[in-house]
Amino acid sequence: MTPHETTLDVNSTAKSMDAADTESLGAWLTRARTRFNAEQRDIAHHLGLNPSIIAALESDDLSQLGPPVFVRGYLTRYARLLGLPEQEALERYQRQMGTSQKPPPLQVTHPLRRQTRVRDLRGVFYLALLVGIAWTAIQNLNNLDPSRLLTFWSDGRSDSVSRTGNQPANTDSRTQYPFQAEPATTTASASLATKEAPLPQSSTMVPASSNVGSPAPAAPMTPASPPQPATVSPTSGVVLTTNTPSAAGSPESAAGPAIQGVVAIATVPATGTPTEAGGASSANEAKLLLEFSNDCWMEVKDAQGNVLANGLMKANSAHTISGSAPFKVTLGNAPAARIILDDRLVNTDIYVPRRGTVSRFTLDRGQP
Amino acid sequence: MFKWLRGKFSNDLSIDLGTANTLIYVRGGGIVLNEPSVVAINQDPVRGIRTISAVGTDAKRMLGRTPNNLSTIRPMKDGVIADFTVTEKMLQHFIRKVHSRKFLNPSPRVLISVPCGSTQVERRAIRESAMGAGARVVYLIPEPMAAAIGAGIPVEEARGAMVLDIGGGTSEVAVISLNGIVYAGAVRIGGDRFDEAIINYVRRNFGVLIGEPTAEKIKHEIGSAYPSSEVREIEIKGRNLAEGVPRSFTLNSNEILEALQEPLSGIISAVKMALEATPPELAADVAERGIVLTGGGALMRDIDRLITEETGLNVVIAEDPLTCVARGGGRVLELIAKDEHAVEAFAIE
């Protein structure tokens, strides 16, 4: 061998080493496998791996093999089987993949409720809503009138009872609230204003409960005198007179169904003796006449806030109320009402609301 | 007191509180501490007061070489706390060591890996111990989960992955999918049992008593889990039980393989049990990808080959298996720092 040939040999060896260094991992593995005349399938079978993994390793398609931790395992075993240095195989893999071997950041899948922050504010919204409702309720606490609820309950009950026709309707709408002072004397006076057929003396009036909420029935009352259009009890501040024509023409009918004509009988609880009560109220005593051309719910309170009358007034009926002015009036169907205060017609047009029919206003002497 | 304020001056830590070694990963700083879980305690003979003399590497040097008033304690046993007070002191020492600031006592958020086979009482002891050491918040994560994350397994995927973590006190095998543990099993076999097996083998066959550090050295140098054509030897010294004098003798790798048969078969049984209990879909994923080995036991020569031969599955040794658990915990801590709700995943307590 000439020196020149020796130089060529050294050069070719160096070149082949350079080529081995620069060749890809897949080519390096393929070259090692072909030295053993082994097929990819044989290798896969021997290692207990899927043949696609061996194919991916040899084609340098390493991204298909999943996380680096598993690729390193495949490479180590493959290199060990082929008798290649494991460390070199791993180094080649590291060179080839560069910095992409860093594991991807951890991911946590949150439940759906965690995905939007807006939903986390639902609690705050509900709390604000609750506070708003509570604040409104506190602000309007004085305007709340439980009598309306009681009246509705009473009306519904009387309606259902009257529909059955078995017993007379309880038409006494006098209300006694729990927060009100117990009246000194509770007298329920009821009279039936029937022009054509006055009640006979012997007729016994079906008791009208003096207290709507009270389950105890009142004692039956027997009128001592023939019925009058309006009866004013000494302790009674208000007498409602119903002009509803009654169909009761006989004593039998007067005893029961005739009572249906009575719409409302309210008794103002006296705070003192009858004389005292009369003396105190006589200074500002006023008389209120309400006529209804249509069905209308009505509530009237006097200056002390006592409920003088409330309930559903029938069409073509008139009611007289006396009490201390000013009156706080609530009408469910204001256009149907005609009001006369101390023989002076009140202009109700100004109280008719723009929307709806319910109006609330205060009536006093001297007002238009 | 003022833990919140002190927390502002503390780094979040992931602690691998192992039976053999304690590793600490600082969020954003990587592994900053890797020391043996050994504490040297000095007992005053007059007053009887116990004081900590050394912790970690310094204490391990004293292991088996201490005078009467000094004793070296390994406060962790089988992956759980054996001595509560000493563990607390050791943790306190390590936490202070990784915090360079001396102005305020550190009060970090700590994530500690616990064996999945540990009881609630044992976990509570670890939590209390860390709180006593100054931790502000303590999260506990199962070791196999932390090991899988540290090994780089994509645990969030709907694919099964099996991880075998061979630690100092326990070996744990788990099948993980969708950020949760599908199956977990643990055996109280680990590096300590390997050392114990070697000590017993040497005493039985050579009549020589060797210490734990010597057994550990033998394991590291010539320990092997699978027969190999290459036989390695080591010369060791011990006390001859019959003569009572120190003797020197030679051990080879095949003898150590024979000594380790019992603990190794225990680990293989645990793996086989896990495979039997794995749901079929996940078992198919495991068969395709293989088993990932982590922990110090994964460094034993040819242990992957042994498991491959026994199970027929591909076995992968994770990169830097000793630090996998701490690194995995660190990655979870980094995620928790970004997203507080991450504590609901990864079986964290």
Side-chain angles (χ1 to χ4, degrees), chain A residues 90-112:
Chain A
L90 292 177
E91 280 170 9
R92 280 174 182 270
Y93 169 65
Q94 220 154 10
R95 273 207 302 273
Q96 197 153 321
M97 294 302 288
T99 55
S100 64
Q101 286 191 46
K102 202 173 179 182
L106 290 175
Q107 291 174 357
V108 180
T109 311
H110 294 307
L112 285 176

Side-chain angles (χ1 to χ4, degrees), chain A residues 22 63 90 100-101 118 121 124 141 145 179 195 204 208 283 313 322:
Chain A
T22 54
S63 58
L90 292 177
S100 64
Q101 286 191 46
V118 177
L121 298 175
V124 178
L141 196 61
D145 186 6
F179 50 81
K195 292 174 182 174
T204 303
M313 305 302 156
S322 59

Side-chain angles (χ1 to χ4, degrees), chain B residues 51-89:
Chain B
T51 50
I52 305 274
S53 286
V55 180
T57 311
D58 297 337
K60 196 178 182 184
R61 278 195 215 107
M62 302 176 187
L63 205 64
R65 299 184 172 95
T66 52
N68 284 341
N69 64 325
L70 206 61
S71 59
T72 49
I73 291 177
R74 297 180 68 178
M76 303 293 292
K77 187 172 171 58
D78 297 336
V80 293
I81 291 178
D83 190 324
F84 184 85
T85 314
V86 176
T87 304
E88 189 178 309
K89 293 290 176 193

Side-chain angles (χ1 to χ4, degrees), chain A residues 294-307:
Chain A
N294 209 340
D295 286 356
C296 177
W297 185 87
M298 176 191 76
E299 184 185 78
V300 180
K301 290 182 181 176
D302 64 2
Q304 284 77 36
N306 297 322
V307 179

Side-chain angles (χ1 to χ4, degrees), chain A residues 1 14 18 20-21 38-39 99 128 142 176 248 277 301 316 318 352 360:
Chain A
M1 187 184 289
D18 285 345
D21 282 344
E39 294 293 321
T99 55
N142 293 332
Q176 176 66 45
K301 290 182 181 176
N316 301 321
V352 175
R360 294 180 179 84

Side-chain angles (χ1 to χ4, degrees), chain A residues 26-86:
Chain A
W28 184 61
L29 290 171
T30 309
R31 191 160 55 82
R33 177 175 58 79
T34 50
R35 269 211 312 265
F36 292 96
N37 292 325
E39 294 293 321
Q40 284 184 353
R41 190 178 299 174
D42 303 330
I43 300 289
H45 178 72
H46 200 272
L47 293 177
L49 295 174
N50 196 324
S52 64
I53 293 174
I54 305 298
L57 280 173
E58 292 193 356
S59 61
D60 291 321
D61 197 1
L62 302 173
S63 58
Q64 274 193 352
L65 296 173
V69 61
F70 295 111
V71 181
R72 276 198 297 271
Y74 302 145
L75 268 179
T76 308
R77 292 190 64 199
Y78 195 5
R80 194 185 293 159
L81 182 69
L82 296 176
L84 297 171
E86 296 169 22

